[in-house]
Amino acid sequence: MNVNKASGHAVDLAQLPGPLFVVQKHAATTLHYDFRLQFGDVLKSWAIPKGPSLDPADKRLAVRVEDHALEYATFEGVIPEGEYGAGTVLVWDIGWWEPDSSEELQGAKAANGRASAESANQALDTGQLKFVLHGQKLKGSWTLVKMRGRGENNWLLIKHRDDAARVGSDIVEEEPRSVLTGRTLEEIAAEETR
Ligand code: MN
């Protein structure tokens, strides 16, 4: 994958020890954060209007959207007017994820030796996925849980209480820039629409 090695924030995606995760900050019709987890060769995706929070008290609405191709994970730039998702995209965080093994070990699924990827697929189907993120901004244990009775696509992203939790913090305000290039949305828009 094409990652800007000059930024000092380069992530060697070929060397990740697990499946990829990425959060793309996207100034489309409205600003949102696209949270994507690699499942095989696709990125399962949720659009989070307020973005992720490291504060376990925050339950962030995450609207399930269509899968994206794995190659899209490192896209940063401007989607032209008239195209789907028109607006500026910034790679806000990137890294890898794994099912939360402490949870998995408690489940019957672990006992019969299922691959963790299969467990994750089942968790997605049942509407509750617990996982650990290894990113630059987002770390530790999280849950994505489907909201009951609120339509098919409405989930919540919640940080678990652990060493990576930060009560009262606002990570999207504190760290607005691209992890790949260090740029803001405004800088990307200015540089790429000249
Ligand atoms: Mn989007």
Side-chain angles (χ1 to χ4, degrees):
M1 278 182 202
N2 179 25
V3 174
N4 187 338
K5 297 277 198 291
S7 69
H9 297 276
V11 177
D12 188 348
L13 298 178
Q15 298 293 325
L16 294 178
L20 183 147
F21 91 92
V22 64
V23 182
Q24 284 160 311
K25 186 177 180 179
H26 185 187
T29 310
T30 56
L31 181 70
H32 60 273
Y33 294 75
D34 289 302
F35 182 88
R36 309 188 197 277
L37 299 174
Q38 178 186 1
F39 277 68
D41 59 0
V42 299
L43 298 165
K44 303 291 185 185
S45 299
W46 291 259
I48 305 179
K50 292 185 176 177
S53 173
L54 295 173
D55 188 336
D58 291 334
K59 297 175 171 58
R60 291 288 162 88
L61 176 65
V63 181
R64 182 86 184 269
V65 295
E66 68 275 22
D67 297 351
H68 275 57
L70 192 50
E71 292 68 31
Y72 189 71
T74 53
F75 175 77
E76 182 170 287
V78 175
I79 303 171
E81 286 298 325
E83 292 187 18
Y84 176 77
T88 308
V89 177
L90 171 160
V91 177
W92 185 81
D93 199 11
I94 199 164
W96 60 283
W97 73 278
E98 58 186 331
D100 191 329
S101 58
S102 62
E103 297 287 341
E104 197 179 12
L105 288 172
Q106 293 164 14
K109 295 180 188 80
N112 59 22
R114 285 181 188 277
S116 61
E118 190 176 337
S119 300
N121 265 312
Q122 284 192 351
L124 199 63
D125 289 343
T126 60
Q128 187 167 39
L129 183 62
K130 298 183 180 184
F131 52 93
V132 176
L133 295 179
H134 303 273
Q136 298 182 35
K137 297 173 182 172
L138 303 183
K139 298 177 190 295
S141 179
W142 302 72
T143 294
L144 266 170
V145 61
K146 201 170 181 176
M147 297 172 75
R148 303 293 169 194
R150 301 286 189 90
E152 267 306 288
N153 297 321
N154 290 343
W155 296 58
L156 296 171
L157 177 68
I158 306 165
K159 180 76 195 75
H160 289 153
R161 297 181 191 281
D162 62 12
D163 289 347
R166 295 220 318 260
V167 173
S169 77
D170 188 351
I171 187 73
V172 297
E173 285 295 320
E174 292 161 14
E175 302 199 39
R177 292 174 180 270
S178 167
V179 292
L180 295 186
T181 64
R183 295 181 296 176
T184 63
L185 281 172
E186 293 72 21
E187 287 166 350
I188 293 166
E191 286 174 20
E192 307 213 0
T193 53
R194 279 178 299 199

